[in-house]
Every structure is written in structure tokens, then in C-alpha cells.
């Protein structure tokens, strides 16, 4: 912009005033402000202000925004200033607004698509606009040698004034103005297919270009104009095109002169084609890119005559051979049509599967798909898929930042990098596309803003996903859901933990092994259906494997009473069930915890309880603080004892998992471990023997050692980890020696030597030591 001229001049100097901005100076008679006037503006932008406080002095300021060259110059070139704080705004656009340079092509192709859409819309009422302009299309031609990219469309083009308005005013969107005009004209309606809305998309070209040249021809004008600007400049140039070879019939041609650092990447034809396929694959107009191709052709070559043969005069032996010839030609880059824009009734299942495989680079068919359109408060189209298998990479499991959901706005790809905005973490395995016309994006279109609209979209996407999974579960052929559960069962269990609002939809999808279905899994609905009327709870046990669950002592009485028990054998299972708490008004009950009620409790035998009260007190005295109390068990039938956890503390399985945590808090381990209760089976021979020892020899060392060993054995069988495995092993060896002593008729000599070895302080109980003692005895004899 030409600098504003401001100063004070005497009235006599007005006649000598130099022309402002290259224009002819007005005469003093016509230009001097009349007495008493505040200000008057001349036709060419010179502003005159009377300063009454200074008497005859007159202040003159030039507000012209244009510095024009003489009009008689051929192909007059005009220089304009951007109508904004350009240096700062352009810096923001280039360095801060966009996170990836490659989006420049998306923005320019979107603008070209808008230009074609506008022409198609206007051509409905004025068919002459479409005459002599060729097909509605976009062509992109990279030139690696020159380091340029040329993007040409046959759209509506721009006049000189439109060039100044749209490209000379940063952040003014021609598309927004067009839509506003349509809305004001109610007879024409509004076209929601237009992409642009922010007006800064064009300037993303300066992410990779050091110079941008726009040549445009509007059907409304007979002249073609060229707009030129250099990066980091505060001005641009507009001139009329005079070169016949560069004339356009209609539309706009944008040429980017790439920066030295970017021309090797973005002038590559294959790179350009890849960007078009990624971002603009579903634009409604054909996009052609200039690509190098190859073909095989047959050529004739002269063949020398063999020895002894003479070629007939005028006749040459010719031989054909096949060679590969390279050539350049236009190639359609967006041949795939947006399947979500079509009517679901007209689409075959094979088409959905092919679209899924091509879009997400998959080789297996999806287990299910959902194609739907949401209207009303929020409008969007979507196609969702349940993959045929789980991710191979562990990093993708439970990761909210998967690239499984591709977000489009008006068929233009925006992003696939979300952090749980559209889908919760436990549904991150779902793949698909979401296309909306009015998503709350930021100005660079790259960031989805948190808003009420996004929350509504998320809710509806989740609901449709549940419908899709339930459809798999309800199929007569259970193989598909079996595949789904093997691949994504952990995700559903995670949902039980993280999404309390959807428990009613998540719980029926759960599957577990049980005491009556060890080979297959059952649903909670099946469990409740098989429950006897007297059963008031859903019983489960959490262990580290199916085998340990089947052999756990806690099951003995329940199996005896034909009560089904769920086996929770994965680390996440117990936490998921605890978060559910109930299912169809049936509480979940851990059979490894105290106060187990089986629903049809028999009256306690008071005599039995009274008989073993002394034993319980005696065992508690021997174990001390290791257990909170000792009591007669209601859950044992064949095992002598079991160690159960407190009602509000961790179970043995949970304690094991917490200890295994890499960053586990050991200080909270003691607090959350809760109390342990030692339960004994009064019908077991070992317990009866200990009861007799308690009454007859309460100070017996062997009886006390038996109680210690019984406790250690109960620790292991109940799923706990002994504090000193080596000490436990020593106790077992000791008890084995007592139990096996002389059982198979060991000789008196060996028995005496073994006894001597036990009494000696330095004796070794190993087999090698016994052999050495026998050898010494033979030598002595």
C-alpha cells in the first residue's frame, strides 16, 4: 500500500501540490476545502481536512490503497497491498495454523471443487456460462525439473474485482459470500456441497511455495487476469494476461513455484497422486494427475544375413522385438466413489467389503458393517465396520489414537488422528468413515473442537456400533461372534470399567467359561436362565487359568449343590464384574470371600460348632496375626481347609495382579490386602486328628508343625503366594520324612544310620552322605 501522506501546507502551496499516487493533481479551485467544511474527499482518494485552529493551514492525507502505473502501458500491471496485518497473519498461516505441509493440496483442490460447483449451480439458470469450457474437471501437473505444481480447474473463474476481494483480503471466503447470497435469494435455495468456509485455505500454498501465480478467466469477463505474490511479502500484483499461449477458455490455473527444500518431495508425481487419493479421493469432480506410464510396443529391427546366405537386393530380413516404452499421460486419481453417499439398499455386501479392504488396507472381510445417515439436530453419514481380526500390533490395542476412523467434511478427508473425541477407547477397534457438512472444525480444518455437536455425534456412533455388535451376537451361526469375542472381548470388558452409562448394552455381550461350560463360553443371559429359583446371586471365581479355576477348593460345595460358577481367568475380568455389580437384579458374588451364602443354607449343627470351637481358638493361637480368625467352613466338602479373603479387601487373584504391577504402590498393598480368614472342614480326617491333638496334647510340637504346614498349603491352594517358598519346601520335606519313614521295609542298619544322622548336628541328610557312612562302616568291619 502506498504510504499515507500527512502534513500541513499553506493555502498558497496548494496549487503546487504534487499528484497523489501517480494521479494528476487537482486544481486549487476544485480541490481546496470550502470554508466551514470539515472534510471533503476527492474522486481519487485524496482527503482534505480543514484545521480551523491553524487558520489558513490545510492538512492533506492520501488514503489511496492503489499505486497504479500509467494507463497507457501495455498489459498494465497494478500493485496492491493485502487488506490485513499481513506479515503477522501470513506467518501464522504458514508456521502455526497447519501441522502438515501436505494439506496445501487438499485446500487448493477443495477450492477448485468449489469453483466447479459454483459454475454448475449458476449454469442451471444461465447455460451460456458452461459453453466452450470443456468438462468440469481438475488437473494437477507436477514438474520435477522446474520444481512447480500446476493445478487447473474449468470452474467459474474470477474477475479482477473478485481477485482483489478473494485473494487480496486474507480470511475472506468467496464460498462463504456465495452461500450467503444464495440464502438471501430464497428462490435459488442453498448448495451445501461447497467446501470452503474460512478463506485461508488458498494461503496454505505458501507452506511449500516461494511464489504463487494465479491465472483466471471468468465467463462474465472477456479478459484473463494474473495474480502473483511472493512468500513473506505484504503485497501482490494483478495484471492482464496478453500471451495467447497462456489463455484459458474458462476457469483458474494456479502455479506453485516450490521452495528448494520442498520441490524434491512435492514435485514428485507419485507423491502428488498419493496426496490426492488420501485427501481428495471422494471429491465429486474428476481429478487427473500427470503421471509417467509404461507400455510394451513391437518394433522392427534389421537382421544381418547369416554366413553363406546372401540377402536379395532390395530385400532386407526384418525381425520384430518387444520393448518397454515410457510416456507421460493424465491418470484419474479419484476413481473410487464415496459409498456412504449412496442408498444402502442399492449396495451389495461385496461392495462394502471391497471398500473396507481398499480404504483400510485389510485382507479379511469385516465381521459386520453399518451404513446409516443421521438427520435432525446433527446431520452426518457414516459407514462403520467390525474388523475380521484383532490388531497384530500390541500398540494398537486399547489405544484411543488409532487411525481407524476417517473424518470427512463434504467428502474431503480431514483427519484420522483423534484422541477419543468420536469413539471411546474401548471401541477403538471399530473402523469406518464419518462425513458431515457442518462439523465444528478449527480454521485449519485439522482439529475437531469439543462441542455439544461432537458429543451428540459420539453418542450416535456408539449406539450404532452396539447395534452392529448385537446383530453379530444374535446370528444363528455363533462362529462370527466367537471370532469377535476372541479378538475384541477385552475391549468389551474395558467398556464395563470405563463406560458406566452403557452397562445395560455391554453386559449382555460378555462371555465367560463356567463350571458347567468349560469347553465353551456362555452369556450372562444364559447363566440367569439356567439358575434355580432359589438362587439369588451370580457366583464367580477369579483365577489365573482355567485349570486352577476348575480345581479351586472354593467350588466344592457349590458343585455338590449343582450351582453354576463363572470362571474369570483374564486379568481384566474381575475388575469388569465388580464394576457391573449386578445383572438383572442379581448380585455378583465372589465365592473366595467370607460370608458366602448359597441360598439354601442348612441349619448349622450347633453341636459340631461347639465341638470345634476349642480347635478354632487353638489354631488361631498358633497362627497369630497371619489370619484374622479361624472358623468352620460352609464351602468345603473334600479339602481340609481354605484361606478366604475379607469381604471388602482384595481377593487372592487381585492381590497377585497388584503385586505384578510395574509401578504398583507397595504401601497400599498391606492396606488393601484386607484380612484373611482360615476356614476348616470338620469332616476331614486331618482336622479331626488336629481336634484330638488340641484336646489331648495341645503342646505337641508335631501338631503345631502340622498347623503351620496346613496354613502354608491353604495359601497355595487358595491362590495366594507364600512369603517364603523355601521355608515351605523344608516343612514339606520334613513331614514327608516322618510319613515315609520305614514304610517300604528299610533295613535296620540304614534306619539306625539315618537316626544317627538326624541326631548329629553336622550330619547331612543327602543320599551322598548316607553312602559315605556305609562305606566307612564296611572298612571298620
Amino acid at each position: 500500500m502506498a504510504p499515507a501522506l500527512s502534513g500541513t501546507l499553506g493555502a498558497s502551496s496548494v496549487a503546487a501540490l504534487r499528484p497523489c499516487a501517480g494521479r494528476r493533481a487537482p486544481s486549487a479551485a476544485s480541490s481546496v476545502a470550502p470554508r466551514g467544511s470539515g472534510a471533503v474527499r476527492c474522486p481519487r482518494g485524496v482527503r482534505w481536512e480543514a484545521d480551523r485552529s491553524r487558520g489558513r493551514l490545510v492538512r492533506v492525507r492520501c488514503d489511496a490503497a492503489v499505486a497504479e502505473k500509467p494507463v497507457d502501458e501495455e498489459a498494465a500491471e497494478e500493485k496492491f497491498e493485502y487488506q490485513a496485518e499481513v506479515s503477522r497473519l501470513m506467518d501464522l498461516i504458514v508456521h502455526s495454523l497447519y501441522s502438515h505441509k501436505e494439506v496445501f493440496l487438499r485446500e487448493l483442490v477443495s477450492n477448485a471443487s468449489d469453483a466447479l460447483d459454483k459454475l454448475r449451480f449458476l449454469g442451471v439458470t444461465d447455460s451460456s456460462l458452461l459453453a466452450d469450457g470443456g468438462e468440469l474437471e481438475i488437473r494437477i501437473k507436477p514438474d520435477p525439473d522446474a520444481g512447480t505444481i500446476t493445478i487447473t480447474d474449468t470452474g467459474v473463474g474470477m474477475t479482477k474485482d473478485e481477485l482483489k476481494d478473494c485473494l487480496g483480503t486474507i480470511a475472506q471466503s468467496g464460498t462463504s459470500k456465495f452461500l450467503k447470497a444464495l440464502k438471501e435469494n430464497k428462490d435459488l435455495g442453498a448448495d451445501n456441497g461447497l467446501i470452503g468456509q474460512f478463506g485461508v485455505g488458498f494461503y496454505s500454498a505458501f507452506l511449500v511455495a516461494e511464489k504463487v501465480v494465479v491465472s483466471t478467466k471468468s465467463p462474465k469477463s472477456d479478459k484473463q487476469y494474473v495474480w502473483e505474490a511472493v512468500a513473506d511479502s505484504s503485497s501482490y500484483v494483478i495484471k492482464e494476461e496478453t500471451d495467447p499461449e497462456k489463455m484459458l477458455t474458462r476457469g483458474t490455473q494456479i502455479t506453485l513455484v516450490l521452495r528448494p527444500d520442498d520441490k524434491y518431495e512435492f514435485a514428485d508425481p507419485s507423491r502428488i497422486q498419493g496426496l490426492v487419493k488420501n485427501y481428495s479421493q471422494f471429491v465429486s469432480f474428476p481429478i487427473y494427475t500427470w503421471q509417467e506410464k509404461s507400455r510394451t510396443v513391437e518394433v522392427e529391427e534389421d537382421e544381418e544375413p547369416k554366413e553363406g546366405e546372401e540377402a536379395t537386393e532390395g530385400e532386407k530380413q526384418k525381425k520384430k522385438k518387444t520393448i518397454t516404452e515410457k510416456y507421460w499421460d493424465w491418470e484419474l486419481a479419484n476413481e473410487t466413489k464415496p459409498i456412504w453417499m449412496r442408498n444402502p439398499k442399492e449396495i451389495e455386501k461385496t461392495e462394502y467389503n471391497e471398500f473396507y479392504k481398499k480404504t483400510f488396507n485389510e485382507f479379511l472381510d469385516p465381521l459386520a458393517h453399518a451404513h446409516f445417515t443421521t438427520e435432525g439436530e446433527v446431520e452426518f453419514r457414516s459407514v462403520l465396520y467390525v474388523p475380521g481380526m484383532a490388531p497384530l500390533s500390541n500398540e494398537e490395542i486399547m489405544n484411543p489414537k488409532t487411525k481407524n476412523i476417517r473424518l470427512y467434511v463434504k467428502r474431503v478427508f480431514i483427519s484420522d488422528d483423534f484422541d477419543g473425541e468420536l469413539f471411546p477407547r474401548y471401541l477403538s477397534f471399530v473402523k469406518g468413515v464419518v462425513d458431515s457438512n457442518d462439523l465444528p472444525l478449527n480454521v485449519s480444518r485439522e482439529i475437531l473442537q469439543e462441542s455439544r455437536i461432537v458429543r451428540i455425534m459420539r453418542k450416535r456412533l456408539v449406539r450404532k456400533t452396539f447395534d452392529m455388535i448385537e446383530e453379530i451376537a444374535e446370528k444363528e451361526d455363533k462362529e462370527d461372534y466367537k471370532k469377535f469375542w476372541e479378538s475384541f472381548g477385552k475391549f468389551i470388558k474395558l467398556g464395563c470399567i470405563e463406560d458406566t452409562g452403557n452397562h445395560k448394552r455391554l453386559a449382555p455381550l460378555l462371555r465367560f467359561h463356567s463350571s458347567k461350560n468349560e469347553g465353551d463360553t456362555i452369556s450372562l443371559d444364559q447363566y440367569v436362565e439356567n439358575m434355580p429359583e432359589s438362587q439369588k446371586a451370580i457366583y464367580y471365581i477369579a483365577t489365573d487359568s482355567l485349570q486352577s479355576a476348575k480345581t479351586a477348593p472354593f467350588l466344592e460345595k457349590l458343585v455338590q449343590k449343582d450351582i453354576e460358577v463363572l470362571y474369570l481367568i483374564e486379568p481384566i475380568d474381575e475388575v469388569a464384574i465388580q464394576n457391573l455389580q449386578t445383572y438383572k437384579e442379581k448380585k455378583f458374588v465372589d465365592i473366595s470371600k467370607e460370608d458366602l451364602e448359597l441360598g439354601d443354607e442348612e441349619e448349622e449343627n450347633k453341636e459340631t460348632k461347639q465341638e470345634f470351637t476349642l480347635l478354632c481358638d487353638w489354631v488361631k493361637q498358633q497362627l497369630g496375626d497371619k489370619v484374622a480368625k479361624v472358623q468352620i467352613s460352609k464351602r468345603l466338602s473334600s479339602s481340609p481347609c481354605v484361606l478366604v479373603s475379607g469381604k471388602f479387601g482384595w481377593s487372592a487373584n487381585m492381590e497377585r495382579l497388584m503385586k505384578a504391577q510395574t509401578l504398583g504402590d507397595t504401601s497400599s498393598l498391606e492396606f488393601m490386602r484386607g484380612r484373611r480368614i482360615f476356614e476348616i472342614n470338620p469332616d476331614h480326617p486331618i482336622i479331626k486328628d488336629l481336634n484330638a491333638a488340641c484336646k489331648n496334647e495341645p503342646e505337641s510340637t508335631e501338631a503345631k508343625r502340622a498347623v503351620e504346614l496346613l496354613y502354608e498349603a491353604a495359601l497355595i491352594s487358595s491362590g495366594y503366594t507364600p512369603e517364603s517358598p523355601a521355608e515351605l519346601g523344608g516343612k514339606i520335606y520334613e513331614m514327608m520324612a516322618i510319613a515315609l519313614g520305614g514304610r517300604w521295609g528299610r533295613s535296620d542298619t540304614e534306619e539306625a544310620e539315618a537316626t544317627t544322622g538326624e541326631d548329629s548336628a553336622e550330619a547331612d541328610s543327602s543320599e551322598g552322605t548316607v553312602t559315605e557312612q556305609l562305606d566307612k562302616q564296611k572298612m571298620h568291619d
Side-chain angles (χ1 to χ4, degrees):
M1 182 180 293
L5 176 64
S6 182
T8 56
L9 301 172
S12 59
S13 304
V14 173
L17 182 67
R18 296 174 61 187
C20 177
R23 295 292 184 181
R24 187 178 57 188
S27 64
S30 62
S31 300
V32 177
R35 183 176 301 175
S37 67
V40 65
R41 186 180 295 274
C42 72
R44 296 301 178 187
V46 180
R47 182 167 180 167
W48 300 76
E49 295 180 358
D51 192 341
R52 297 176 181 174
S53 62
R54 299 188 180 183
R56 299 176 62 190
L57 295 181
V58 178
R59 178 177 298 164
V60 184
R61 186 171 71 229
C62 177
D63 286 338
V66 181
E68 301 181 20
K69 292 185 178 181
V71 294
D72 56 349
E73 278 190 23
E74 186 178 354
E77 181 180 292
E78 300 178 78
K79 187 174 183 180
F80 299 86
E81 296 286 338
Y82 291 109
Q83 300 299 305
E85 183 63 44
V86 179
S87 58
R88 295 182 62 187
L89 189 55
M90 288 291 285
D91 183 70
L92 283 173
I93 292 173
V94 174
H95 298 104
S96 303
L97 194 59
Y98 296 97
S99 56
H100 302 288
K101 286 184 175 182
E102 62 189 31
V103 299
F104 80 92
L105 193 63
R106 176 194 71 187
E107 296 297 316
L108 296 180
V109 170
S110 297
N111 289 344
S113 176
D114 278 355
L116 293 166
D117 254 327
K118 292 175 187 176
L119 181 66
R120 183 169 59 181
F121 184 85
L122 296 173
V124 173
T125 55
D126 186 359
S127 58
S128 64
L129 297 176
L130 295 169
D132 302 329
E135 297 293 329
L136 299 179
E137 62 185 17
I138 303 169
R139 293 183 181 266
I140 306 173
K141 186 174 183 179
D143 188 340
D145 297 329
T148 62
I149 301 174
T150 303
I151 303 168
T152 307
D153 69 73
T154 55
V156 71
M158 289 177 280
T159 63
K160 180 179 179 181
D161 291 336
E162 288 170 342
L163 272 177
K164 288 190 288 184
D165 288 342
C166 297
L167 303 188
T169 305
I170 296 178
Q172 176 168 303
S173 171
T175 299
S176 298
K177 294 177 69 176
F178 187 78
L179 288 173
K180 184 178 180 182
L182 291 181
K183 290 177 181 178
E184 290 175 355
N185 191 335
K186 297 181 180 179
D187 296 333
L188 295 177
D191 185 0
N192 290 326
L194 296 171
I195 300 166
Q197 55 179 324
F198 299 118
V200 297
F202 169 78
Y203 299 97
S204 65
F206 290 104
L207 291 168
V208 297
E210 59 184 8
K211 180 182 179 182
V212 178
V213 180
V214 180
S215 184
T216 182
K217 170 71 169 61
S218 172
K220 302 175 185 177
S221 174
D222 296 331
K223 296 181 179 181
Q224 180 174 324
Y225 293 96
V226 178
W227 181 99
E228 288 186 17
V230 179
D232 303 323
S233 173
S234 63
S235 62
Y236 60 91
V237 170
I238 295 179
K239 63 182 179 181
E240 183 182 336
E241 182 62 78
T242 57
D243 187 348
E245 295 182 0
K246 296 181 180 180
M247 287 297 180
L248 303 172
T249 307
R250 181 191 69 227
T252 302
Q253 184 178 83
I254 301 176
T255 301
L256 310 182
V257 180
L258 299 175
R259 299 174 187 268
D261 295 340
D262 295 316
K263 67 179 181 180
Y264 297 105
E265 177 183 359
F266 294 110
D268 180 16
S270 60
R271 174 70 164 141
I272 292 297
Q273 189 177 45
L275 291 177
V276 172
K277 287 182 177 293
N278 186 44
Y279 288 102
S280 306
Q281 186 177 20
F282 303 110
V283 168
S284 55
F285 298 98
I287 303 174
Y288 296 93
T289 59
W290 189 246
Q291 298 293 320
E292 185 180 32
K293 300 182 178 182
S294 61
R295 59 190 172 195
T296 56
V297 294
E298 288 186 347
V299 296
E300 294 181 345
E301 63 176 358
D302 295 336
E303 184 178 7
E304 295 293 333
K306 297 180 180 178
E307 293 182 6
E309 296 182 1
E310 293 183 3
T312 307
E313 187 177 347
E315 183 180 314
K316 292 184 179 179
Q317 293 183 355
K318 294 187 177 181
K319 181 180 178 182
K320 290 185 177 181
K321 70 173 182 179
T322 302
I323 63 171
T324 301
E325 179 183 75
K326 291 188 176 181
Y327 67 102
W328 289 86
D329 197 5
W330 293 104
E331 181 177 318
L332 185 63
N334 61 333
E335 55 190 352
T336 305
K337 302 301 180 184
I339 197 170
W340 63 85
M341 302 296 292
R342 295 164 57 190
N343 188 341
K345 295 179 181 178
E346 301 173 356
I347 307 174
E348 299 292 333
K349 183 179 179 181
T350 53
E351 293 183 79
Y352 283 115
N353 292 351
E354 287 302 317
F355 176 81
Y356 167 76
K357 291 177 181 178
K358 190 170 185 179
T359 304
F360 298 102
N361 296 321
E362 292 284 346
F363 60 92
L364 289 178
D365 288 339
L367 291 176
H369 71 270
H371 182 185
F372 58 94
T373 301
T374 302
E375 297 179 348
E377 189 176 7
V378 177
E379 297 184 6
F380 65 91
R381 297 172 182 264
S382 181
V383 179
L384 301 178
Y385 295 93
V386 174
M389 63 180 294
L392 297 176
S393 172
N394 289 331
E395 295 180 358
E396 295 182 24
I397 299 177
M398 308 299 182
N399 180 13
K401 284 197 170 184
T402 57
K403 297 186 180 295
N404 291 342
I405 299 298
R406 294 176 63 84
L407 175 65
Y408 292 82
V409 172
K410 299 176 181 178
R411 304 174 309 282
V412 175
F413 174 65
I414 299 301
S415 179
D416 58 3
D417 187 11
F418 302 108
D419 193 7
E421 290 95 343
L422 291 177
F423 272 90
R425 184 168 67 136
Y426 69 90
L427 291 179
S428 59
F429 63 89
V430 177
K431 297 187 177 185
V433 296
V434 178
D435 187 7
S436 175
N437 289 347
D438 51 0
L439 272 179
L441 303 173
N442 73 343
V443 71
S444 68
R445 310 175 200 262
E446 296 182 9
I447 301 173
L448 189 63
Q449 304 293 329
E450 180 60 32
S451 70
R452 179 170 163 272
I453 294 177
V454 176
R455 290 193 294 271
I456 294 173
M457 285 185 62
R458 173 187 168 117
K459 187 176 181 180
R460 294 184 180 175
L461 288 169
V462 169
R463 186 176 65 194
K464 289 293 183 180
T465 301
F466 278 128
D467 291 342
M468 186 167 47
I469 298 173
E470 287 167 3
E471 185 179 337
I472 303 175
E474 291 169 1
K475 286 183 179 178
E476 292 184 7
D477 184 6
K478 299 300 179 184
E479 283 301 312
D480 281 350
Y481 194 77
K482 188 175 180 181
K483 292 178 184 177
F484 169 81
W485 185 252
E486 289 174 355
S487 298
F488 307 111
K490 292 183 178 69
F491 291 81
I492 301 301
K493 294 169 185 175
L494 179 67
C496 295
I497 299 170
E498 295 187 341
D499 191 356
T500 56
N502 280 309
H503 276 177
K504 289 184 178 180
R505 304 203 71 172
L506 285 163
L509 301 176
L510 296 174
R511 298 292 185 270
F512 298 102
H513 293 281
S514 75
S515 56
K516 294 184 179 180
N517 292 272
E518 296 175 2
D520 201 1
T521 57
I522 65 166
S523 66
L524 295 178
D525 285 326
Q526 290 173 297
Y527 182 97
V528 173
E529 187 178 341
N530 297 333
M531 284 172 53
E533 293 182 5
S534 59
Q535 187 175 334
K536 304 299 182 185
I538 300 174
Y539 298 105
Y540 71 88
I541 181 171
T543 61
D544 58 348
S545 68
L546 188 60
Q547 182 62 30
S548 61
K550 291 191 293 185
T551 56
F554 306 102
L555 270 73
E556 294 173 358
K557 189 72 77 171
L558 287 94
V559 172
Q560 195 176 51
K561 292 187 175 185
D562 198 33
I563 296 176
E564 191 170 13
V565 180
L566 297 177
Y567 295 158
L568 312 187
I569 58 176
E570 292 186 350
I572 196 174
D573 289 354
E574 187 175 0
V575 184
I577 288 295
Q578 288 174 352
N579 275 270
L580 286 179
Q581 296 183 348
T582 62
Y583 183 72
K584 291 188 175 179
E585 299 181 356
K586 305 288 185 182
K587 288 183 64 177
F588 288 99
V589 174
D590 186 348
I591 65 171
S592 69
K593 292 194 174 184
E594 65 173 323
D595 298 336
L596 177 65
E597 297 178 1
L598 300 180
D600 56 346
E601 296 292 333
E602 300 176 359
E603 292 186 6
E604 295 182 3
N605 190 332
K606 294 183 180 180
E607 293 182 1
T608 303
K609 186 176 182 180
Q610 187 175 2
E611 181 183 352
F612 286 89
T613 299
L614 183 61
L615 175 63
C616 291
D617 294 339
W618 181 71
V619 172
K620 173 66 173 75
Q621 184 180 1
Q622 305 308 316
L623 297 179
D625 294 335
K626 292 179 180 178
V627 295
K629 64 178 178 179
V630 180
Q631 63 185 24
I632 295 174
S633 179
K634 302 174 185 177
R635 72 190 87 207
L636 297 177
S637 60
S638 59
S639 298
C641 60
V642 72
L643 202 62
V644 301
S645 55
K647 193 172 184 179
F648 302 105
W650 281 337
S651 65
N653 181 66
M654 186 61 67
E655 186 176 319
R656 176 180 58 83
L657 293 175
M658 291 299 106
K659 283 183 177 179
Q661 296 296 316
T662 306
L663 301 176
D665 184 5
T666 55
S667 62
S668 65
L669 189 62
E670 280 299 319
F671 176 75
M672 288 303 298
R673 186 172 66 177
R675 60 181 192 165
R676 296 172 181 174
I677 299 164
F678 193 59
E679 292 189 356
I680 58 175
N681 179 6
D683 298 325
H684 198 278
I686 294 178
I687 301 301
K688 290 180 178 180
D689 287 342
L690 286 177
N691 189 37
C694 167
K695 293 177 180 178
N696 301 325
E697 293 185 52
E699 300 299 326
S700 170
T701 305
E702 291 184 0
K704 292 179 179 179
R705 285 158 62 188
V707 170
E708 288 285 343
L709 185 59
L710 204 61
Y711 169 77
E712 299 284 354
L715 268 178
I716 297 175
S717 64
S718 302
Y720 294 99
T721 304
E723 295 180 2
S724 177
E727 187 178 342
L728 172 60
K731 292 177 182 177
I732 294 174
Y733 300 150
E734 187 178 342
M735 295 299 289
M736 287 178 66
I738 296 173
L740 299 180
R743 180 179 287 264
W744 295 285
R746 186 169 49 172
S747 65
D748 294 340
T749 304
E750 291 172 337
E751 188 174 351
E753 290 172 355
T755 305
T756 304
E758 288 177 4
D759 294 339
S760 174
E762 297 179 0
D764 191 344
S765 61
S766 66
E767 184 180 351
T769 305
V770 173
T771 305
E772 185 179 353
Q773 290 176 352
L774 288 174
D775 291 340
K776 288 182 179 180
Q777 183 66 32
K778 289 179 181 179
M779 290 177 63
H780 179 70
D781 293 338

